[in-house]
Amino acid sequence: MTAAAFTFTPDADFVDRALDAELRRDSESVDRKLRTMLAALDDSLAGISDAREELHTLYTAPGTDTAGDVSAHDQDIATH
């Protein structure tokens, strides 16, 4: 038995231009929404990072950062 391979190349004359335009609009709309969501996540991550640094500042006495304390600084506050 042999398997026949078929390929399909749409002819430009038969492309539904209205459907193509609608799909492009939908795709652009989704891209905009995803970019907005990504920006919000980036802002949230920056806020979390700032809050962690502030908490580390509050819980670390000034002048006690030694080589041994650096690894502790990178751990979550909850583990201390």
Side-chain angles (χ1 to χ4, degrees), residues 45-60:
L45 287 174
I48 290 169
S49 179
D50 292 345
R52 286 185 77 223
E53 286 301 314
E54 184 65 28
L55 286 172
H56 282 296
T57 302
L58 292 173
Y59 289 113
T60 302

Side-chain angles (χ1 to χ4, degrees), residues 19-48:
L19 177 60
D20 182 51
E22 181 180 340
L23 290 175
R24 285 182 194 273
R25 277 193 310 274
D26 289 345
S27 177
E28 290 169 359
S29 173
V30 168
D31 286 346
R32 277 193 306 276
K33 288 177 184 176
L34 288 175
R35 280 193 300 272
T36 302
M37 291 169 62
L38 182 59
L41 286 172
D42 285 341
D43 289 346
S44 296
L45 287 174
I48 290 169

